[in-house]
Amino acid sequence: MPDVSVVIPYYDGQSSLDLLLAALELQDTASSFEVVVADDGSPTPPVPGERPWPVHVVRQDDEGFRAAAARNLGARHATGRVLVFLDGDMVPEPGYLSALEEALADSPDDTLVVGHRRHADLAGWNVDSVRAWLDGSGPAPTPLGDPQWLADGHRATDDLRTADDRSYRFVISAVMATPRDRFERVGGFVEFSGYGGEDWEFAHRWRHHGGRFRHAPDAVAWQDGVDFGGRHDADERRRIKDEETLRLAPLLPLPGARDPRLVWRVPQIAVVADATGLSAAQALEFLACLLDGSDAAVWVSGLAATAWQQLEDARLRRADASGPTPGQGSPEESTWVVDVHRPGALRGTTLAEVVARVGDTAWHGGPAPSHTAGASLTVRHVPTGRRWPVDLPEEEWVALPGQTVRLEDHWSRGL
């Protein structure tokens, strides 16, 4: 069994694949590795040729641009302890694999490592000229511009050591390595059709499951051609990026990733509440106050069957109905989970404001206990697992109306 599996998503690019495989022959790693070429339905299958390490070719049907599905296909056929994803138009320098392995060594079970992608014009280059460049016996190509936003992001986060909820934007799957076991536990890539977004969604979910990031600046691989920002005119770039943003918005419960005025499949705030024993009027007041002013969804138990039959708000979900499929909505996919300990109605504030107050102060000091006597709520940050009890004052968390209040009277008084 090899130490490393290099997974290469591929589509109709034999000449680029030849350069990549030639570069892999010059790797200075002492670890054993295999290569899995995952063909996304090319008209002509790739031909890897004879190599000093095992090469496997796996294929899927041509159903449009499905790079995420190709990566998952390659990963399923990989046997190495570490998965290295390397796009088919990349040329890794000799130290690429060893630098990724070194970055993984500090925390080999939960770290996602991003290599350093650079850009060059390789038009007209062949296997011999690439080998001469990489072994130092021939000239190097002229570098093209590297994206400044990515360099700034890696610098601002100390090469992703201090990554936060929005640092998924600095992860690119063209040059990425993960431990295979954890990749499988996280669930692999969501299989989008179309260009872009699957690496950001995967990186978000990786951190959401407690994983770490690391940028390895010495793991350099060169892409043939300019970065996305130089490939199209402004209108076409905007169109493509808007499609990517809309593809990601339902799945990324984070500020800046979606319009906060809309309700999304995976909410930023998930509320877990029990309506057992409440009248219809009490239950609706309880739930409406929890939902007011945020994109929250409430996973509720104990709600009477008659109430479920009448309610049409998609933000109310049965506590026992969430499944394990990524992206389908469950409390653990949200950024914040709020456990409600006793029924009440919010007044003068919203749940989003309560969570924001916790978020402003949560990072100063150690984690609080998960619950204290009398706390109205417990707020949990899912990616880190840290919890803070919140004992709301009486003017913010007030008693529910009595059992004898009629809904019509209750609503006509303006709640």
Side-chain angles (χ1 to χ4, degrees):
M1 180 181 298
D3 299 312
V4 174
S5 296
V6 180
V7 176
I8 303 171
Y10 171 92
Y11 181 79
D12 199 22
Q14 183 66 51
S15 59
S16 294
L17 180 64
D18 291 341
L19 302 186
L20 192 164
L21 295 176
L24 287 176
E25 291 186 3
L26 300 176
Q27 293 297 299
D28 62 10
T29 179
S31 299
S32 61
F33 66 90
E34 66 178 356
V35 172
V36 182
V37 181
D39 180 21
D40 190 16
S42 299
T44 302
V47 179
E50 292 295 325
R51 303 291 169 179
W53 14 258
V55 185
H56 315 284
V57 175
V58 293
R59 304 192 75 203
Q60 62 187 18
D61 293 338
D62 183 4
E63 298 177 4
F65 187 95
R66 295 194 297 148
R71 292 189 184 99
N72 285 343
L73 175 66
R76 286 196 298 273
H77 286 82
T79 60
R81 178 183 55 82
V82 172
L83 298 175
V84 171
F85 295 96
L86 192 61
D87 277 5
D89 58 353
M90 306 296 295
V91 175
E93 292 187 357
Y96 179 74
L97 291 180
S98 57
L100 291 177
E101 291 178 280
E102 183 178 351
L104 279 167
D106 290 341
S107 185
D109 297 326
D110 64 359
T111 301
L112 181 158
V113 179
V114 185
H116 188 65
R117 181 178 63 182
R118 301 202 63 190
H119 299 268
D121 183 1
L122 298 179
W125 285 66
N126 59 33
V127 168
D128 290 337
S129 55
V130 163
R131 282 178 173 152
W133 158 37
L134 296 178
D135 68 18
S137 63
T142 302
L144 302 173
D146 299 328
Q148 190 61 46
W149 66 269
L150 188 58
D152 291 343
H154 292 156
R155 186 180 306 108
T157 59
D158 188 20
D159 284 327
L160 296 178
R161 290 179 179 86
T162 59
D164 60 18
D165 288 347
R166 291 276 285 162
S167 296
Y168 65 85
R169 298 170 296 150
F170 311 130
V171 171
I172 48 177
S173 54
V175 283
M176 190 180 86
T178 74
R180 182 163 63 92
D181 288 349
R182 193 174 186 90
F183 176 87
E184 293 171 351
R185 289 200 304 273
V186 169
F189 292 96
V190 170
E191 296 187 358
F192 295 137
S193 293
Y195 173 82
E198 71 275 1
D199 43 7
W200 285 10
E201 190 282 332
F202 177 79
H204 160 73
R205 194 155 26 93
W206 181 273
R207 185 172 186 272
H208 206 74
H209 283 72
R212 310 181 193 190
F213 297 150
R214 181 66 56 84
H215 172 235
D218 294 332
V220 177
W222 294 78
Q223 184 172 40
D224 182 11
V226 296
D227 179 55
F228 171 81
R231 295 178 199 166
H232 310 281
D233 63 31
D235 288 342
E236 182 66 2
R237 287 198 303 272
R238 181 166 53 250
R239 183 192 67 79
I240 294 172
K241 290 303 291 184
D242 281 350
E243 287 183 356
E244 176 185 272
T245 300
L246 289 172
R247 196 180 295 129
L248 290 171
L251 305 177
L252 298 184
L254 299 165
R258 54 170 46 162
D259 190 325
R261 298 170 297 178
L262 300 177
V263 176
W264 301 96
R265 186 189 317 156
V266 178
Q268 183 184 12
I269 302 171
V271 185
V272 179
D274 186 355
T276 301
L278 301 183
S279 69
Q282 289 176 315
L284 292 182
E285 172 69 350
F286 177 43
L287 298 173
C289 285
L290 294 174
L291 291 167
D292 186 31
S294 76
D295 80 336
V298 178
W299 276 260
V300 59
S301 58
L303 189 63
T306 53
W308 276 118
Q309 293 170 4
Q310 301 300 324
L311 290 170
E312 297 184 3
D313 195 318
R315 296 172 296 170
L316 295 176
R317 307 175 187 182
R318 296 181 185 273
D320 58 353
S322 59
T325 304
Q328 296 306 306
S330 70
E332 295 306 309
E333 290 185 277
S334 298
T335 303
W336 301 93
V337 172
V338 178
D339 290 296
V340 181
H341 301 309
R342 51 189 171 89
L346 287 159
R347 289 287 186 271
T349 190
T350 67
L351 197 62
E353 291 170 336
V354 172
V355 171
R357 291 202 300 262
V358 171
D360 287 341
T361 60
W363 316 118
H364 305 289
S370 61
H371 182 54
T372 57
S376 311
L377 318 164
T378 294
V379 178
R380 175 164 57 94
H381 184 242
V382 175
T384 60
R386 300 176 71 187
R387 302 169 181 261
W388 297 269
V390 179
D391 191 8
L392 293 171
E394 290 185 4
E395 62 270 19
E396 290 188 2
W397 190 249
V398 300
L400 293 170
Q403 294 271 10
T404 58
V405 173
R406 294 192 311 164
L407 283 175
E408 181 182 5
D409 295 338
H410 183 51
W411 288 341
S412 65
R413 291 198 302 268
L415 304 185

